[in-house]
Amino acid sequence: MENIDWKNLPFGYVPTDYNVRCTFSDGKWGPIEVSDSEYIPMHMAAACLHYGQEAFEGLKAFRGADGKIRVFRMDENAARFRRSAEGIMMEPLPEEIFCEMVKKVVALNTRFVPPYGTGASLYIRPLEIGISPQVGVKPSKDYMVVIFVSPVGPYFKTGFNPTKVCMSRNYDRVAPLGTGAFKIGGNYAASLKAGEIAHDKGYSVMLYIDPKEKKYFDECGAANFFGIKGNSYITPHSDSILPSITNKSICQLAEDLGMTVERRHIPIEELETFDEVGACGTAAVISPVGQIDDLDTGRSYKFGDGKPGPKSTMLYEKLRGIQLGEEPDTHGWNVVIEEK
Ligand code: PLP
Ligand code: COI
C-alpha cells in the first residue's frame, strides 16, 4: 500500500478491501459472507438502533520481523464477545465461527497489515447487532456480526511516552451492578461526556473511580489501569471494569519476569506510593502515565522523569516482542495467518 504513511497513522478508520459477515436468523447462524461494501442495510426499527443491543471487540494483527502475520489471543476475544452478547441478551456467536471470521478477514486484507518496524498494526473490529424490527423493549430475534479491519497507529498520541490523565468522582461510565464487564456500545456512549471533558482540559483520558464506594480506581477510559511498586504489578480487581486481555497477558509476563502480581482494590490514597502507573489495552498497548490530576481536589500526582519507567518498559518490550514474533511465544498466544 504505497499511499499509506504507516509511521504516522492515527488510531482511526481506513477503508480496506473486504469485511466478513454472519447472520443469525430462523434460530441459526448462516454462512460466513465476504463483503466489499462499507455499509449495512438495516430496518429503521432494528433493536440495536433503539435499545442499544450492540457488542464489539478489538484485537490486532501484526507483521513480524520474519514477515509472518500474527493475530494476538483471538480465542480470548471470541470468549469475551460471547460473554458480552449474553450480558445483553443477544445470541452468542460460537467461538469457532468468530475465529474463522477473524482469520478470513485478515487473510483477505493482508495488503493493509502495516509493515514490520512501523509501529502500526491491523486493528480488527468485530461487532454484533440486534437487527429484528421491533418497538417493544425485548431481545431481538435476529442478529448480525460484522468484522472489519483498519490499519492503525497509537491510541494515545503520545504512544509509548508518558501521558497525562485526570480523575474525578463526578463521572461514572457504568453502574456498580451494571454492564461494565461487557464490551457493549452503551458503556462507551455513557463515557463520551467525561471523555470530552478530559480532552477539553488537555488530558488524554478520564481515570474512573469505582461507581459504588468512590474509593478505588477502576479503569482508564478504554484501557485498564495498573501501578507498579517495587517488584509488584498491581491492577484493580473490580466488577465494573472490562477484563482486559492485554492486562491478563501483562500479569502473566510480569510473573514470568519474576514480579509479584496483585489484583485487588487500589484505594485512591495509595496512588502517591506507586513508582510507575499506566494504562493498558489492545489499542493503548502499554501507555505510561506521567501525571494524574484530581479534578475534585486540585491535587496532582507525578510519576517518573518524563520517560517511561523501567518496569513498564520491560513489560512493553516483552509484550511487543511476542506480538512481533521476536520473542518465543511460550504461552501460545499468537495465531499465524496463512497468506494466499
Ligand atoms: N477497558 C475498556 C473499557 C476497553 O474498552 C478496553 C479495550 O478493549 C480495555 C479495557 C482493554 O482491553 P483489551 O486489553 O482486551 O483490549
Ligand atoms: C481496544 O483497545 O480494542 C478498544 O476497543 C479501545 C477503544 C478504541 C474502544
Side-chain angles (χ1 to χ4, degrees), residues 131-150:
I131 54 171
S132 301
Q134 59 191 51
V135 182
V137 181
K138 57 178 194 280
S140 177
K141 276 203 191 64
D142 297 341
Y143 294 90
M144 182 187 248
V145 170
V146 179
I147 308 187
F148 68 84
V149 295
S150 179

Side-chain angles (χ1 to χ4, degrees), residues 159-274:
F160 188 64
N161 286 305
T163 191
K164 226 170 82 171
V165 313
C166 60
M167 59 189 256
S168 166
R169 295 144 199 81
N170 297 325
Y171 307 98
D172 294 325
R173 67 186 281 283
V174 293
L177 296 174
T179 53
F182 307 130
K183 201 162 169 68
I184 59 169
N187 293 345
Y188 297 79
S191 75
L192 291 176
K193 202 168 200 169
E196 284 309 293
I197 288 168
H199 289 155
D200 288 349
K201 292 181 186 292
Y203 301 100
S204 49
V205 72
M206 178 70 72
L207 170 56
Y208 291 96
I209 309 295
D210 84 274
K212 188 173 181 197
E213 300 192 57
K214 299 280 177 183
K215 281 189 190 157
Y216 309 108
F217 289 109
D218 245 359
E219 63 180 330
C220 243
N224 274 181
F225 175 75
F226 67 85
I228 288 169
K229 203 189 300 190
N231 198 36
S232 295
Y233 177 88
I234 306 163
T235 192
H237 171 82
S238 166
D239 295 333
S240 49
I241 65 174
L242 191 77
S244 156
I245 296 158
T246 312
N247 200 5
K248 186 174 176 181
S249 310
I250 297 170
C251 287
Q252 179 66 59
L253 297 177
E255 274 177 12
D256 294 351
L257 292 163
M259 294 178 74
T260 305
V261 172
E262 298 175 33
R263 273 188 189 275
R264 58 165 171 82
H265 288 336
I266 304 179
I268 296 171
E269 306 82 70
E270 192 176 354
L271 188 56
E272 61 186 342
T273 68
F274 287 126

Side-chain angles (χ1 to χ4, degrees), residues 11 56 58-59 123 125 155 183 188 222 281-284:
F11 185 86
F56 69 100
L59 61 163
Y123 189 68
R125 169 52 61 83
Y155 186 61
K183 201 162 169 68
Y188 297 79
T282 297

Side-chain angles (χ1 to χ4, degrees), residues 37-115:
S37 168
E38 294 178 83
Y39 294 89
I40 304 171
M42 210 182 329
H43 195 285
M44 63 186 172
C48 62
L49 296 178
H50 301 262
Y51 307 123
Q53 260 196 318
E54 191 269 355
F56 69 100
E57 265 306 326
L59 61 163
K60 278 178 173 172
F62 303 86
R63 176 81 65 181
D66 54 5
K68 288 187 184 159
I69 299 171
R70 292 174 177 79
V71 180
F72 189 67
R73 305 199 79 172
M74 69 164 91
D75 52 335
E76 289 281 340
N77 294 89
R80 192 172 63 189
F81 196 51
R82 180 176 47 69
R83 291 197 303 272
S84 296
E86 287 167 348
I88 54 168
M89 301 303 290
M90 297 203 297
E91 182 65 29
L93 180 72
E95 291 165 33
E96 329 64 91
I97 303 183
F98 180 99
C99 293
E100 222 29 68
M101 289 177 80
V102 168
K103 286 188 238 170
K104 190 155 199 157
V105 74
V106 175
L108 287 166
N109 291 291
T110 51
R111 68 192 188 107
F112 294 95
V113 182

